[in-house]
Amino acid sequence: HGYTRDYLMGLNVVWDSGAADVVGTQESSNPRTIAIRDATAALLEPNRQLIEESRPKTPFTRCGYQLHDVMPGGRLDLAKLLVGSEGTLGFITAATLRTIPLPGGVCAVLLGFGSLDAALHAALDLRALRPVSGDLLDRRLLASMRTAAAVAAALLVTFEADSEREARELAETAVEKLRVVHRLVVLEEPVCDPGGLARIRGARQAAVSGLYGLGKGPRPLAFIEDVGVPAEQLPAFIERTQDALKRFELSASFLIHALTGQVHTRPMVELDNPVDREKLWPLAEVVHGIALELGGTVSAQHGTGIARTPWIEKQYGPILPLFRELKRIFDPKNILNPGKIVGPDPSRPAWPLRTGFKADEAEQGRSPLLVWASGSPRDEVGKCTGCGDCRPQSPRGRMCPAVRASRSEATSPRAMVNLFPLLDANTSLASDDVKAISRHCVNCKMCRDECPAHVDVPRLMLEAKAARHAEDGLDRADWFLARTEGLARLGSNFAPFVNLLLARRSVRWLLEKAFGLSRQRRLPAFALRNFTRRARGMGLARRRKSDALQKVAYFVDVFANYNDPSIGAATVAVLRHNGIEVYVPPRQVGCGAAPLSVGDLEAARDAARRNIRALVDLVREGYRIVCSEPTAALMLSQDYLDILDDPDAAALAANTVELTAFLGELLDAGRLRTDFRRLELTLGHHVPCHIKALRTPPAGPRLLELIPGLTVRTIDVSCSGMAGTWGLKAANYDTSFAVGKRMLDEVNRPGILFGSSECSACRMQMQEGSGKRALHPVQYLALAYGLLPEIGAKLRQPLGGLLSG
């Protein structure tokens, strides 16, 4: 669709002097704007031919200043000149763009070839059919995405048209024409539906991400990954680049936008190896030289920045004086992004390369506290490329809730990773700086799964928190929150008295002052008779012979046990209604998530050991462990493996499943009963972070959609902001609502009557932020089955003030 500059209508800009103006279609009366405009026009007008002759022969370039099209009809377009100038000419605060209609139909197809060269020539032949994109993936990328087909390269081609039928016809025509000349394998038939398109595009992203998910050894380094050449020169460029890589004894991956000649080459480099590091600059010189010789550019897509500024002179030699004079006109004091595009700073490295620790933790006298396959967190830290994708502001994705609320580098997962190389024998983990960074990680695990390199930042932060706890202990607030299960048990035993106290503002004020528990937070009431007691009364704590095809052990966890036993009752009722034998192990305790989240590793390990002893024999007897709380399922299936080096923990992990995922399995197998009664309700169902972290598709919404009359609006836009016990703190109260704002905005839509979520903490946030009752999906299922009519009364019950029943 061209450049952003092609759709520009105006820019709000602040000049070097601090003067602000709007540049674009209207004439400006700002003196600084007029001075810049007149001086720039006087510079460019007599040099038009030289500027044109210096242009690369590629359809796209992002290297240097784009001067060839900024004086249409002899009139300078300042706004177009500023686009892509990377803040070196002015500070852009807003942009006004014109839009174009979305295509009526989009269709994509994935084709495989026996060699990279064959795929390149096929892509060049495709240009006659005018696809909108053609992404070529080499063998290494295909291996990282674990494609089953034995091909050496794949071509992902996308067509757009006025209708889906026309787009599909274009894709099918392309496949048939390529079959005649090129030997190919159709890896994915033409798909036009949104789900299919997302799957194919996701495969491409997974291929690139897979490269960065490697452990030890050489890893991809993006220092020559933005070269562009005329498309017809691609075969020559790739062949010569491969020869150069062989001379330097390096391998690389290639992702190629074949229609436009953009090549992302990522050599595999061992950064801790001085020999490999010494190869980088001469290899860049060779590869960039090949591109320029073929009429290309050293940056086709990503911009110049500091990394490519050293090659500006080689690409633009004759007009480099124009660049320098242009910079002087706009920024005579050199205060706007100095060192980019012109005037590189020789004391500043173009590539701030990241390496591992300077010394192993053992050499520093600090041994890792969690279980690491390599013996230390070093390899996990080394996976981080420093790309900054963990500072998201787009509405898509969940990474990272802390950054979305604060917009601060110090809260980013990248900052958390950078914490580790800074730690040495003389650095106190109890220092304020370390606390300030680590406290922002709420163990939601979204950065782990959305990071392009899949760096397990939450695990690194658990290591840091555990080390801090071992060195300095917990403050009162963290100590209090780490003991939520014991406090919940106590609260349940004396429920009427405790509930009465918690509903009083004076008591809540005292709790805030003493333990940091927010006085404003609406807390769940305690149930006098917890679920495990009820289970014993129902005979669920005794195993007996059964003809059931499947048997499960129900892991209850804290909230369903002590605060809302109706979740446990609904879980048992729904499972039994579907012919599942249910056993509630009497020796189970809380999963240990609360102490682990604040670094109390020993308390978390104690809970893990007790639960493993209570459950692992059941696993050996064929039981599945079913958890109604996603956090509990995550602890049993993932986190226990990080805190205990125990084969029994692995056996438990392999046989643990979250409740709605288990019911989804029954649905997929055709074994879930659908004898639901009609419920005339509209629900907003929030997908919790820990459901996504379990890496299975959310099953809650499709289960609820089975209920006649029930309308489900899936809310998968953000973290709820509660983050377990994190949101209970007074210090985090306001921030938690800032984090969960996008989710709460959806829940607060007028058409939504009630909330739904698998996570108890998320439901607490939904209720407080909207005033609408929120239940676990299994409670709605039990109500619709006619098993627990009292849940209908619960829906009609007011939430209450400081305490909700």
Side-chain angles (χ1 to χ4, degrees):
H1 296 288
Y3 284 103
T4 303
R5 65 199 295 122
D6 298 331
Y7 302 92
L8 184 69
M9 298 179 67
L11 292 177
N12 292 44
V13 62
V14 179
W15 301 122
D16 64 311
S17 63
D21 199 5
V22 179
V23 296
T25 56
Q26 298 179 345
E27 287 291 337
S28 174
S29 60
N30 186 292
R32 182 62 181 139
T33 304
I34 294 171
I36 289 174
R37 183 196 63 204
D38 292 347
T40 303
L43 173 68
L44 300 184
E45 178 61 36
N47 290 287
R48 284 190 175 199
Q49 184 174 350
L50 181 62
I51 291 169
E52 188 62 34
E53 291 171 352
S54 301
R55 286 182 62 191
K57 297 176 183 178
T58 55
F60 294 97
T61 181
R62 281 292 318 280
C63 187
Y65 297 123
Q66 305 303 304
L67 306 179
H68 63 279
D69 61 351
V70 297
M71 294 194 67
R75 182 179 177 276
L76 178 65
D77 187 339
L78 270 180
K80 183 172 279 192
L81 175 59
L82 285 166
V83 174
S85 63
E86 304 182 25
T88 62
L89 304 182
F91 189 89
I92 297 169
T93 60
T96 303
L97 304 171
R98 67 178 177 87
T99 61
I100 58 175
L102 290 170
V106 180
C107 198
V109 61
L110 187 63
L111 308 174
F113 297 87
S115 70
L116 186 61
D117 187 65
L120 279 172
H121 284 91
L124 295 177
D125 289 350
L126 262 180
R127 291 182 297 172
L129 296 173
R130 305 185 69 179
V132 294
S133 69
D135 293 338
L136 198 157
L137 290 75
D138 74 346
R139 188 190 300 274
R140 188 180 291 277
L141 285 168
L142 293 175
S144 70
M145 78 187 241
R146 298 176 175 84
T147 180
V151 296
L155 187 61
L156 169 54
V157 189
T158 306
F159 291 90
E160 292 181 359
D162 290 336
S163 68
E164 185 178 304
R165 180 182 59 81
E166 291 174 288
R168 181 180 293 278
E169 287 176 356
L170 286 171
E172 291 172 345
T173 300
V175 172
E176 292 309 311
K177 286 195 173 183
L178 290 181
R179 280 189 205 273
V180 177
V181 181
H182 305 279
R183 298 179 64 183
L184 59 84
V185 177
V186 180
L187 302 177
E188 286 275 1
E189 295 287 347
V191 293
C192 304
D193 62 286
L197 291 169
R199 185 182 68 253
I200 291 184
R201 289 166 178 162
R204 190 204 111 164
Q205 182 59 43
V208 177
S209 298
L211 285 177
Y212 290 97
L214 303 173
K216 292 183 177 180
R219 299 182 61 251
L221 190 63
F223 67 104
I224 52 170
E225 49 52 85
D226 195 24
V227 167
V229 295
E232 58 274 11
Q233 297 289 354
L234 276 173
F237 174 78
I238 296 299
E239 182 180 359
R240 292 175 63 179
T241 299
Q242 288 175 326
D243 289 341
L245 287 163
K246 289 177 185 177
R247 292 199 304 273
F248 285 94
E249 298 181 333
L250 294 171
S251 62
S253 71
F254 290 93
L255 171 63
I256 304 168
H257 305 307
L259 305 180
T260 51
Q262 297 164 308
V263 185
H264 301 295
T265 308
R266 294 178 175 88
M268 307 298 290
V269 177
E270 177 61 76
L271 280 181
D272 288 334
N273 185 342
V275 176
D276 273 10
R277 292 169 68 91
E278 290 298 320
K279 296 175 182 178
L280 302 185
W281 189 272
L283 177 61
E285 288 273 69
V286 172
V287 173
H288 290 155
I290 295 170
L292 296 179
E293 184 182 331
L294 296 174
T297 174
V298 301
S299 179
Q301 184 176 355
H302 294 164
T304 307
I306 295 172
R308 297 175 182 87
T309 290
W311 285 276
I312 287 282
E313 184 172 0
K314 289 190 175 181
Q315 177 163 329
Y316 287 109
I319 64 168
L320 189 63
L322 294 184
F323 285 1
R324 290 176 179 151
E325 180 61 17
L326 190 70
K327 173 69 170 174
R328 190 198 63 77
I329 291 170
F330 280 81
D331 184 22
K333 296 180 181 178
N334 198 31
I335 60 174
L336 299 175
N337 262 357
K340 289 188 177 181
I341 302 181
V342 294
D345 183 350
S347 68
R348 188 176 187 181
W351 307 318
L353 300 174
R354 303 171 62 87
T355 58
F357 294 137
K358 293 181 180 178
D360 287 338
E361 290 83 354
E363 296 170 353
Q364 299 171 357
R366 179 176 289 131
S367 299
L369 299 176
L370 270 64
V371 177
W372 298 90
S374 63
S376 85
R378 174 179 183 152
D379 293 328
E380 200 65 37
V381 172
K383 287 163 61 176
C384 177
T385 64
C387 67
D389 283 356
C390 55
R391 302 175 299 168
Q393 292 304 323
S394 78
R396 292 179 294 179
R398 295 282 185 98
M399 179 176 68
C400 158
V403 173
R404 290 181 183 276
S406 69
R407 303 195 176 193
S408 167
E409 171 69 27
T411 65
S412 70
R414 179 170 72 173
M416 297 174 187
V417 174
N418 284 335
L419 181 67
F420 274 79
L422 297 176
L423 300 180
D424 56 35
N426 298 318
T427 302
S428 170
L429 285 164
S431 70
D432 291 340
D433 289 341
V434 174
K435 285 183 179 179
I437 293 175
S438 63
R439 70 181 177 86
H440 290 292
C441 181
V442 297
N443 200 29
C444 69
K445 301 190 187 295
M446 291 298 93
C447 60
R448 178 198 68 181
D449 293 342
E450 294 184 15
C451 166
H454 298 299
V455 183
D456 197 344
V457 180
R459 193 174 173 201
L460 290 170
M461 284 298 95
L462 290 176
E463 176 73 42
K465 290 177 182 180
R468 194 187 78 205
H469 170 261
E471 181 178 316
D472 198 49
L474 300 176
D475 60 29
R476 277 186 298 175
D478 284 343
W479 179 91
F480 181 80
L481 294 176
R483 281 144 185 80
T484 49
E485 185 187 8
L487 295 170
R489 187 185 305 114
L490 183 65
S492 178
N493 288 336
F494 302 96
F497 178 66
V498 172
N499 289 339
L500 186 65
L501 287 178
L502 289 177
R504 297 177 66 89
R505 295 190 179 277
S506 57
V507 174
R508 295 294 293 277
W509 178 89
L510 184 63
L511 286 173
E512 181 173 311
K513 294 301 179 184
F515 300 110
L517 181 69
S518 172
R519 73 182 88 173
Q520 302 175 70
R521 177 66 68 182
R522 179 189 282 129
L523 297 176
F526 290 105
L528 178 60
R529 194 158 174 256
N530 65 44
F531 179 76
T532 52
R533 288 180 183 171
R534 300 182 190 196
R536 283 196 292 271
M538 296 166 62
L540 295 171
R542 296 191 305 272
R543 280 185 285 172
R544 46 178 179 254
K545 292 183 179 180
S546 169
D547 295 330
L549 293 174
Q550 201 163 3
K551 51 189 180 181
V552 304
Y554 174 34
F555 187 83
V556 186
D557 210 43
V558 177
F559 191 90
N561 198 6
Y562 300 110
N563 298 105
D564 191 358
S566 70
I567 296 173
T571 299
V572 171
V574 168
L575 289 172
R576 283 180 153 184
H577 188 68
N578 284 280
I580 307 296
E581 178 191 337
V582 183
Y583 172 58
V584 181
R587 292 187 298 149
Q588 63 177 287
V589 297
C591 66
L596 183 62
S597 68
V598 296
D600 191 348
L601 191 56
E602 286 313 308
R605 278 180 174 151
D606 180 62
R609 291 189 185 101
R610 294 175 67 180
N611 284 324
I612 290 171
R613 287 197 298 269
L615 301 172
V616 73
D617 286 341
L618 297 171
V619 167
R620 295 189 181 105
E621 294 175 22
Y623 281 82
R624 295 279 299 280
I625 310 302
V626 173
C627 307
S628 57
E629 187 67 53
T631 299
L634 195 67
M635 285 289 293
L636 270 60
S637 64
Q638 296 181 20
D639 288 332
Y640 281 8
L641 300 176
D642 292 339
I643 63 176
L644 287 176
D645 186 9
D646 184 341
D648 285 347
L652 178 61
N655 290 278
T656 296
V657 63
E658 186 270 330
L659 173 62
T660 58
F662 180 77
L663 295 174
E665 292 176 9
L666 296 182
L667 176 62
D668 293 337
R671 293 173 47 209
L672 186 78
R673 295 180 62 175
T674 56
D675 52 334
F676 295 110
R677 300 178 182 180
R678 191 171 186 84
L679 294 181
E680 296 292 344
L681 299 174
T682 301
L683 304 180
H685 179 85
H686 167 66
V687 180
C689 295
H690 283 178
I691 283 286
K692 299 173 78 70
L694 288 166
R695 295 167 173 163
T696 54
R702 64 191 185 108
L703 291 170
L704 292 170
E705 287 168 354
L706 298 171
I707 300 174
L710 193 83
T711 302
V712 183
R713 296 182 182 173
T714 303
I715 302 171
D716 187 5
V717 294
S718 75
C719 171
S720 73
M722 190 64 181
T725 58
W726 184 85
L728 296 177
K729 281 188 176 182
N732 300 331
Y733 183 79
D734 292 333
T735 305
S736 75
F737 285 101
V739 169
K741 182 179 184 304
R742 290 188 298 160
M743 182 273 285
L744 292 172
D745 286 345
E746 294 298 316
V747 178
N748 279 310
R749 291 186 182 277
I752 293 178
L753 299 178
F754 299 102
S756 169
S757 184
E758 296 88 345
C759 173
S760 56
C762 293
R763 293 194 301 275
M764 287 173 60
Q765 185 83 324
M766 294 176 84
Q767 292 185 159
E768 183 151 359
S770 69
K772 301 175 183 179
R773 174 73 67 178
L775 300 181
H776 193 291
V778 77
Q779 292 173 294
Y780 291 109
L781 294 176
L783 177 62
Y785 276 134
L787 303 173
L788 293 178
E790 60 267 29
I791 289 176
K794 188 178 183 72
L795 283 174
R796 295 187 292 272
Q797 180 183 346
L799 285 176
L802 292 176
L803 207 66
S804 62

